[in-house]
């Protein structure tokens, strides 16, 4: 195969989740209560409620075995297992099980069979493993229930069964099994057993994508149980798993502190396996914070401390990936042969197979950098070997990964037909989950497109899109890290499908079917991005945007600009019209659009750059709105609803310029995200109630925020407009006070004159109260009681002194997220910081018009902007263009 730099790097989030869970399970198996029961239980036909306890060692095993006893063989099996010699462990435990059967000790035989099942599983003998654990439960059924000895062995057998179920791709069943084990351990009671089963439950929750539940499970252990426990391996394992969950959920500081606790305990115990696990977690955490050299050092230490080949290999592959990512070619090329050799000796287990695929995928991504040190054929051999191992253990998901990444390797070499064949094989594997299937559907679409098979490529992309649509709610939870790779793993599927649907085919325009599908896809992308940003499903009680313009506001039109890599495509929806209008700006690169938007946004914040603002504003207007003007005028359109693509969200549409006027002088504007908006009603002036909140003095312990000397005069303008208003001012404005006021009364509008910020991430989005920040994820706590106690939620949230994080294209998501969390139908906020005196002028004009007959909230915003344009002090777009309306507009 020829070498070529890959166009993209598929991620292995779910795959690496399997590796991490597999390594954690391996550690937990080492912490099992390996000691056989001391009770000598009578044969099944002579069972009584009384068991005879003896202190003398069991009798010799068999003639010819010398002094070997069942217990001796059992301990030998344990030693072999912990050393990774699973075949030897299997042999010793099989002899021990036979001996316990001969001596009439079903309880000890049952426990030995339970451990025998673990050895079978490690040797990829799933059928034998399941048979052994089934035999264990059959024996337990012959023993009187509810004795401590029987309960302990039954709980251990359940722990083993859960391990088999998770390894065999049944996380939900494993979770139930481990919950049952926990109940039995509680009956004994057995504190270490409870801890083991709860750690296991957290691993099952991770495999199910329920990361927050997993973290909560371990946090409860850490807060209630672990402080009273002496330092032991289970304690170290709990902290290690909790630390990794903190990292995955975006809390690196908590992750580092918790993993350091695990490391300290492991070093006190001189436990190499636990030391390695903690160091690996610390390496991943340091890498997530950009501390690359420290991460490499942690990975080296983790590999050196590891007692299992799997753990050593995984840590070393992470080290290799980071070395190559940071262009440290020399140490990377030294490490590669060591990993190639090590890979040949890995056990045939699921985590080991996934780790090998991770190794091959890392090499594929950096293939050009490694040339000529490593050939594509050598990488292909690693993947082919992983596929063979996956076939051996009948793991179709692992086999699908191996085949799919082998197909990607051929894709990078532009060997399209072989890549297509392998990709189709990956898709044909039985029972592959949707988060795997969509990757190969997408890959197949790329390959077909490269071969000029336009319709077949469109079909493959459509399949990937439909899979993602079904998966979307799970994607939010299935992988917390996906919020950092959304643009790599999810967004391209939507965009590339839209590109195909709208691609010029000769002289023909896209069909109405293609236009409607493209619009649906781009709207779904908006919702997926919002949910990804917010990490939860967001929209409820919604109505179709089309329904709103057709039935509730026939003077509104919807504009969907789609910025592709080489052009801008625009779809226009007019009220009452079934057919969509389409136009495009060809030969405009996405980079050109991004540069224009960046310059436009920067100039908008300068009061002395009117010519530059008008020039870029007209460029954007010509591409987005000008071709639609004849249709808009013909239909009497007064309001433009924009579903903005990501590069355009950082600028206000009201500031676009037609050569004579700003858009705000002709049309009201609003932004919506996705297919739907929350159901809403038009605000009526004689029925509006406002809760107005101010904070003049920001809390000194929070950031560098200026005093808002005009916050209270701003609120007074609401009352002066003749609208009923209740106030919470200055130091009285606390989170609790706001929550209590919302609980006691219903309000249509909540107006917050306080500092705040909308950032790239939910944790960077907040408002300031007198007692500190109120983060985005706490908005629902503030507003939840009003939402549950009234049939009509808050209609409008107005945030007058907030700002977006500098350069953030995702700030509108923060504004939308604030509205959603508050349960409001829409929000008005500013895209940049403003002189708070101008906010007084805006507020006065806005409330004078809001709720007047025939005046929507979008029109009230436009009239307020128009009033500021006519004020000599605030004519610059800096003052009036900052305000945007997101959500329901009528």
């Amino acid at each position: 195969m020829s070498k070529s730099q890959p166009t993209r790097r598929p991620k292995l989030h779910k795959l690496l989740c399997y590796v991490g869970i597999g390594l954690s399970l391996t550690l937990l198996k080492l912490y099992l209560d390996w000691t056989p029961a001391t009770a000598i239980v009578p044969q099944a036909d002579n069972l009584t409620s009384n068991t005879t306890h003896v202190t003398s060692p069991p009798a010799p095993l068999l003639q010819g075995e010398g002094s070997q006893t069942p217990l001796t063989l059992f301990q030998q099996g344990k030693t072999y297992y912990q050393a990774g010699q699973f075949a030897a462990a299997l042999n010793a435990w099989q002899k021990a099980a036979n001996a316990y059967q001969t001596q009439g000790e079903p309880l000890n035989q049952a426990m030995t069979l339970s451990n025998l099942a673990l050895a079978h599983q490690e040797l990829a003998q799933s059928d034998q493993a399941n048979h052994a654990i089934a035999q264990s439960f059959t024996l337990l059924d012959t023993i009187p229930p509810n004795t401590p000895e029987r309960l302990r062995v039954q709980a251990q057998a359940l722990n083993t069964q859960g391990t088999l179920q998770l390894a065999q791709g049944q996380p939900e069943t494993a979770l139930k099994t481990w919950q049952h084990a926990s109940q039995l351990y509680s009956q004994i009671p057995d504190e270490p057993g409870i801890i083991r089963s709860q750690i296991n439950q957290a691993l099952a929750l991770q495999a199910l994508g329920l990361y927050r539940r997993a973290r909560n499970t371990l946090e409860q252990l850490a807060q209630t149980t672990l402080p009273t426990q002496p330092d032991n391996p289970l304690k170290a394992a709990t902290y290690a798993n909790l630390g990794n969950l903190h990292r995955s959920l975006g809390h690196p500081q908590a992750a580092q502190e918790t993993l350091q606790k695990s490391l300290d305990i492991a070093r006190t115990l001189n436990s190499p396996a636990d030391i390695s696990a903690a160091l690996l977690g610390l390496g991943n955490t340091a890498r997530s914070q950009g501390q690359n050299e420290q991460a490499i050092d942690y990975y080296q230490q983790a590999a050196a401390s590891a007692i299992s080949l799997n753990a050593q290999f995984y840590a070393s592959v992470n080290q290799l990936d980071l070395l190559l990512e940071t262009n440290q070619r020399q140490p990377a090329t030294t490490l590669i042969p060591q990993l190639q050799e090590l890979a040949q000796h890995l056990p045939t287990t699921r985590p080991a197979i996934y780790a090998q695929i991770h190794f091959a995928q890392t090499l594929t991504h950096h293939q050009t950098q490694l040339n000529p040190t490593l050939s594509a054929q050598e990488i292909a051999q690693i993947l082919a070997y992983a596929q063979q191992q996956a076939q051996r253990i009948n793991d179709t998901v692992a086999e699908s990964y191996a085949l799919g990444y082998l197909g990607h390797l051929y894709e990078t070499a532009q060997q399209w037909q072989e890549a297509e064949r392998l990709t189709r094989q990956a898709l044909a594997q039985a029972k592959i989950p949707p988060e795997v299937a969509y990757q190969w559907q997408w890959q197949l679409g790329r390959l077909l497109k490269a071969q000029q098979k336009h319709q077949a490529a469109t079909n493959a992309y459509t399949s990937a899109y439909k899979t993602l649509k079904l998966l979307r709610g799970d994607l939010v939870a299935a992988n917390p890290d996906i919020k950092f790779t959304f643009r790599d793993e999810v967004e391209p599927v939507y965009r590339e499908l839209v590109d195909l649907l709208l691609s010029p085919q000769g002289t023909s325009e896209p069909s109405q079917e293609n236009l409607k599908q493209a619009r649906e896809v781009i709207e779904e992308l908006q919702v997926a991005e919002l949910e990804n940003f917010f990490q939860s499903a967001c929209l409820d009680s919604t109505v179709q945007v089309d329904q709103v313009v057709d039935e509730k506001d026939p003077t509104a039109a919807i504009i969907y600009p789609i910025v592709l890599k080489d052009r801008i495509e625009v779809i226009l929806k007019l009220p009452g019209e079934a057919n969509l209008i389409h136009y495009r700006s060809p030969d405009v690169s996405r980079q050109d659009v991004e540069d224009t938007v960046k310059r436009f946004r920067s100039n908008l914040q300068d009061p002395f750059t009117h010519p530059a603002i008008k020039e870029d504003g007209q460029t954007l207007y010509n591409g987005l709105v000008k071709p639609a003007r004849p249709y808009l005028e013909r239909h009497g359109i007064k309001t433009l609803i924009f579903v903005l693509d990501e590069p355009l969200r950082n600028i206000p549409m009201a500031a676009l310029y037609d050569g004579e006027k700003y858009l705000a002088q002709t049309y009201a504007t609003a932004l919506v995200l996705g297919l739907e908006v929350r159901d809403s009603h038009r605000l009526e002036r004689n029925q509006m109630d406002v809760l107005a909140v101010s904070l003049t003095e920001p809390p000194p312990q929070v950031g560098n925020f200026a005093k808002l000397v005009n916050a209270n005069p701003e609120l007074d303008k609401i009352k002066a407009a003749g609208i009923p208003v209740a106030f919470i001012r200055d130091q009285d404005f606390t989170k609790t006070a706001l929550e209590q006021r919302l609980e006691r009364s219903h309000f249509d509008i909540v107006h917050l004159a306080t500092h705040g910020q909308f950032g790239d991430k939910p944790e960077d989005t907040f408002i300031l109260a007198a007692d500190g920040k109120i983060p985005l994820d706490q908005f629902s706590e503030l507003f939840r009681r009003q939402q549950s106690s009234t049939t009509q939620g808050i209609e409008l949230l107005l945030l007058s002194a907030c700002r977006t994080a500098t350069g953030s294209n995702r700030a509108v998501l923060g504004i939308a997220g604030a509205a959603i969390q508050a349960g409001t139908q829409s929000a008005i906020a500013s895209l940049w910081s403003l002189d708070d005196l101008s906010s007084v002028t805006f507020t006065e004009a806005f409330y004078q018009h809001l709720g007047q007959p025939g005046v929507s909230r979008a029109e009230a915003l436009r009239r307020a902007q128009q009033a500021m344009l006519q004020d000599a002090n605030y004519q610059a777009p800096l003052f009036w263009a900052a305000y945007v309306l997101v959500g329901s507009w009528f």
Side-chain angles (χ1 to χ4, degrees):
M1 291 186 292
S2 63
K3 300 177 180 67
S4 167
Q5 179 66 19
T7 56
R8 57 177 46 80
R9 182 184 189 183
K11 303 294 180 181
L12 295 98
H13 291 307
K14 194 70 177 181
L15 187 152
L16 295 182
C17 174
Y18 291 145
V19 177
I21 290 171
L23 292 175
S24 297
L25 277 173
T26 300
L27 275 178
L28 288 172
K29 291 170 194 171
L30 304 183
Y31 309 146
L32 291 172
D33 183 356
W34 297 91
T35 307
T38 57
I40 303 299
V41 184
Q43 292 285 359
D45 56 356
N46 294 321
L47 285 175
T48 68
S49 60
N50 298 316
T51 56
T52 304
H53 295 268
V54 297
T55 55
S56 56
L61 176 58
L62 293 170
Q63 294 294 326
E65 289 289 339
S67 61
Q68 281 192 309
T69 66
L71 179 59
T72 303
L73 287 165
F74 190 96
Q75 295 293 354
Q76 285 179 0
K78 170 187 172 182
T79 301
Y80 286 135
Y81 186 94
Q82 291 178 327
Q85 299 178 36
F86 303 121
L90 183 70
N91 182 54
W93 279 335
Q94 186 64 67
K95 290 179 179 179
N98 293 339
Y100 282 129
Q101 181 180 16
T102 299
Q103 295 183 181
E105 299 182 40
L107 192 61
N108 285 335
Q109 184 186 356
M111 195 182 76
T112 307
L113 286 168
S114 170
N115 294 316
L116 191 68
L118 291 175
H120 277 302
Q121 184 63 40
E122 293 288 359
L123 292 167
Q125 299 168 357
S126 297
D127 290 343
Q128 295 95 319
N130 293 335
H131 179 69
I133 197 65
Q135 281 185 297
S136 179
F137 283 118
T138 299
L139 283 168
L140 288 169
D141 286 341
T142 68
I143 300 170
N146 299 326
T147 62
E149 293 82 3
R150 199 260 200 189
L151 287 173
R152 183 170 66 84
V153 176
Q154 183 182 357
Q156 181 182 326
L158 287 167
N159 256 338
T160 297
Q161 186 180 45
T163 300
L164 302 182
Q165 289 162 342
L166 187 62
Q168 294 167 24
Q170 304 168 46
E172 193 165 354
T173 307
L175 177 61
K176 293 176 181 177
T177 300
W178 281 325
Q179 287 170 338
H180 187 192
S182 187
Q183 293 169 1
L184 296 185
Y185 280 127
S186 297
Q187 285 180 246
I188 298 174
D190 181 339
E191 199 80 52
I194 295 170
I195 294 171
R196 273 195 301 274
S197 60
Q198 289 184 325
I199 299 175
N200 282 335
Q201 288 173 51
L203 294 174
L205 290 167
Q206 285 177 253
L208 288 166
L210 303 173
Y211 283 75
R212 286 181 174 82
R213 277 185 59 189
R215 180 190 61 185
N216 293 342
T217 297
L218 295 183
E219 276 188 333
Q220 187 175 10
L221 266 180
Q223 292 167 7
T224 59
T225 305
L226 294 189
T228 63
Q229 295 288 307
D231 287 347
N232 57 46
L234 277 177
K235 193 172 183 177
T238 306
Y239 283 128
N241 281 278
L242 179 56
N244 290 330
L245 281 166
H246 280 313
R247 179 193 58 79
S248 291
L249 290 167
H251 303 291
Q253 188 60 42
Q256 187 172 5
E257 292 172 1
T258 310
L259 285 161
Q260 189 62 50
K261 284 184 183 178
S262 176
L263 181 60
D264 291 343
I265 293 170
R267 283 175 170 164
T268 299
L269 299 170
N270 193 26
S271 172
D274 295 295
I275 291 171
S276 178
L279 287 166
L280 179 62
L282 285 166
N284 291 335
T285 303
R287 183 175 184 176
S288 71
Q289 295 177 288
Q291 300 167 0
N292 294 330
E293 289 306 314
Q294 186 175 9
I296 289 170
D297 183 56
Y298 279 134
Y299 290 145
Q300 288 174 331
Q301 292 183 59
S305 302
I307 60 172
S308 77
L309 293 180
N310 268 358
Q312 180 186 349
F313 186 79
Y314 184 48
S316 296
V317 171
N318 280 11
Q319 179 189 346
L320 174 67
D321 191 23
L322 190 49
L323 286 169
L324 291 170
E325 189 176 290
T326 54
N327 296 312
Q328 299 183 53
R329 189 175 185 275
Q330 182 57 48
T333 53
T334 301
L335 185 58
I336 288 170
Q338 299 172 23
L339 283 166
Q340 288 176 293
E341 174 65 22
L342 187 59
Q344 299 300 313
H345 299 93
L346 291 175
T348 307
T349 61
R350 203 178 196 206
I353 294 168
Y354 290 144
Q356 290 174 67
I357 299 171
H358 180 207
F359 177 39
Q361 191 263 353
T362 297
L363 296 173
T364 302
H365 178 61
H366 298 287
Q367 190 180 348
T368 300
Q369 184 181 351
L370 292 170
N371 183 39
T373 305
L374 195 73
S375 68
Q377 283 83 358
E378 289 175 291
I379 302 172
Q381 287 170 4
I382 297 170
L383 288 166
Y385 181 60
Q387 183 207 353
Q388 292 169 6
Q389 290 182 304
Q391 283 181 326
R392 179 181 169 190
I393 65 173
N394 195 29
D395 189 332
T396 57
V397 176
E399 187 172 2
S400 178
Y401 268 119
L403 287 164
Y405 284 113
L406 191 55
H408 177 62
L409 181 63
Y410 278 90
E411 180 187 11
T412 64
Q414 299 183 11
Q415 297 188 24
W416 310 124
Q417 292 183 349
E418 183 63 15
E420 180 185 342
R421 183 186 69 80
L422 289 163
T423 304
R424 290 188 184 278
Q425 276 188 266
L427 271 169
Q429 297 303 304
K431 297 180 181 178
I432 61 171
E435 65 267 21
V436 178
Y438 97 84
Q439 295 182 59
W440 310 142
Q441 290 163 343
W442 174 24
Q443 184 164 291
L444 180 61
R446 297 196 305 268
L447 295 167
L448 292 166
K449 182 180 179 181
Q451 298 174 75
Q452 305 299 315
K453 299 176 181 178
H454 186 90
Q455 188 56 52
T458 302
N459 294 341
Y461 268 100
T462 300
S463 296
Y465 159 69
K466 289 179 178 179
T467 302
L468 274 177
K469 188 174 179 180
L470 291 172
L471 184 61
R472 195 180 73 208
D474 292 336
L475 272 178
V476 171
N479 208 328
D481 290 336
I482 205 164
K483 63 185 176 183
F484 303 113
T485 58
F486 184 87
R487 295 183 180 118
D488 296 328
E489 286 198 75
V490 177
E491 184 177 334
V493 178
Y494 291 83
R495 291 196 178 281
E496 291 165 18
L497 173 55
V498 169
D499 191 0
L500 281 166
L501 290 167
L502 300 181
S503 287
Q505 297 297 305
T507 58
S508 63
E509 279 290 297
S511 66
Q512 280 295 313
E513 181 182 352
N514 278 17
L515 288 176
K516 289 174 182 178
Q517 185 180 350
R519 184 179 73 140
E520 174 190 308
V521 171
I522 208 67
E523 287 181 322
E524 285 289 334
L525 173 59
Q526 300 266 350
V527 176
E529 188 173 9
L530 179 60
E531 293 184 344
N532 166 252
F533 172 83
F534 197 61
Q535 290 293 286
S536 70
C538 291
L539 299 177
D540 55 6
S541 303
T542 56
V543 292
Q544 294 286 324
V545 177
D546 284 8
Q547 181 183 344
V548 177
V549 298
D550 288 341
E551 300 176 7
K552 292 189 175 184
D553 189 1
T555 64
I558 311 169
I559 296 178
Y560 307 81
I562 305 166
V563 182
L564 299 174
K565 63 182 179 180
D566 59 354
R567 65 193 190 278
I568 301 175
E569 301 274 5
V570 184
I571 298 173
L572 171 66
K573 157 65 183 174
L574 294 165
E577 295 286 343
N579 285 344
L580 300 170
I581 308 297
H582 167 255
Y583 49 93
R584 69 166 59 94
S585 296
D587 304 322
V588 178
S589 73
R590 185 180 177 93
Q591 187 61 54
D592 287 341
V593 175
E594 291 176 350
D595 291 344
T596 302
V597 165
K598 183 177 180 180
R599 186 172 59 246
F600 186 51
R601 160 78 185 227
S602 177
N603 288 330
L604 282 170
Q605 296 175 74
D606 187 332
F608 306 110
T609 55
H610 283 201
I613 289 172
K614 289 179 178 179
E615 181 181 350
D616 286 330
Q618 188 166 4
T619 298
L620 292 165
Y621 172 87
N622 289 343
L624 303 184
V625 180
K626 184 178 179 179
R629 281 298 289 269
Y631 303 100
L632 302 177
E633 291 169 3
R634 192 179 309 147
H635 282 76
I637 299 301
K638 298 179 180 179
T639 304
L640 300 181
I641 311 305
F642 288 92
V643 184
L644 291 177
D645 206 352
E646 189 243 11
L648 299 168
R649 289 196 211 123
N650 207 21
I651 56 173
M653 293 294 102
L656 300 188
Y657 191 70
D658 68 3
E660 296 180 1
K661 294 183 292 186
Y662 291 105
L663 199 63
Q665 295 174 276
T666 307
Y667 297 102
T669 59
L671 309 179
V672 297
L673 296 168
L675 285 162
E676 302 170 328
V677 292
R678 276 185 158 150
D679 199 6
S680 184
H681 68 271
R682 192 177 290 275
L683 290 166
E684 301 292 341
R685 193 167 188 80
N686 60 353
Q687 297 176 359
M688 287 192 303
D689 288 295
V690 179
L691 176 61
V693 181
S694 66
L695 184 66
T696 303
E697 294 276 2
Q701 72 274 16
V702 182
N704 184 24
F705 291 94
K707 185 176 180 179
L708 295 174
V709 295
N710 290 295
N712 284 312
E714 176 182 327
L715 266 53
D716 293 337
K717 293 297 183 182
I718 304 174
K719 185 175 182 180
I723 297 174
V725 58
F727 298 102
I728 306 176
R729 298 183 189 263
D730 295 326
Q731 296 309 305
D732 291 335
F733 170 34
T734 63
K735 176 184 172 183
T736 301
L738 179 57
E739 187 173 25
Q740 290 174 347
R741 183 62 67 92
L742 289 167
E743 183 180 358
R744 290 196 299 266
S745 305
H746 168 74
F747 297 98
D748 299 286
I749 301 170
V750 176
H751 184 117
L752 300 175
T754 179
H755 280 297
Q757 179 171 289
F758 303 104
D760 278 333
K761 303 173 186 176
E763 54 264 35
D764 295 331
T765 296
F766 58 86
I767 63 169
L768 286 186
D771 53 350
K773 292 181 182 180
I774 302 178
L776 177 61
D777 61 2
Q778 293 182 17
F779 270 47
S780 59
E781 296 177 28
L782 293 174
F783 292 88
R784 69 183 184 276
R785 288 190 175 91
Q786 173 150 333
Q787 294 173 43
S788 61
S789 62
T790 62
T791 55
Q792 186 64 47
I794 295 166
E795 285 290 328
L796 176 63
L797 176 67
L798 201 151
L799 302 137
S800 73
C802 291
R803 67 186 183 200
T804 61
T806 303
S808 169
N809 285 338
R810 307 185 83 199
V812 169
L813 300 180
I815 297 171
I820 288 165
Q821 279 294 79
T824 67
Q825 318 310 317
S826 56
I828 292 176
S830 55
L831 288 176
W832 52 79
S833 297
L834 294 168
D835 176 354
D836 68 330
L837 185 58
S838 69
S839 295
V840 176
T841 302
F842 170 81
T843 299
E844 180 179 22
F846 179 73
Y847 283 100
Q848 283 176 351
H849 296 289
L850 185 65
Q852 298 284 7
V855 178
S856 66
R857 58 196 83 181
E859 176 62 17
L861 171 59
R862 188 192 75 83
R863 293 186 184 186
Q865 291 173 321
Q866 183 89 335
M868 296 182 77
L869 263 165
Q870 295 169 358
D871 186 325
N873 295 314
Y874 302 118
Q875 286 181 341
L878 164 70
F879 299 107
W880 57 264
Y883 296 100
V884 294
L885 169 64
V886 181
S888 297
W889 66 89
F890 52 90

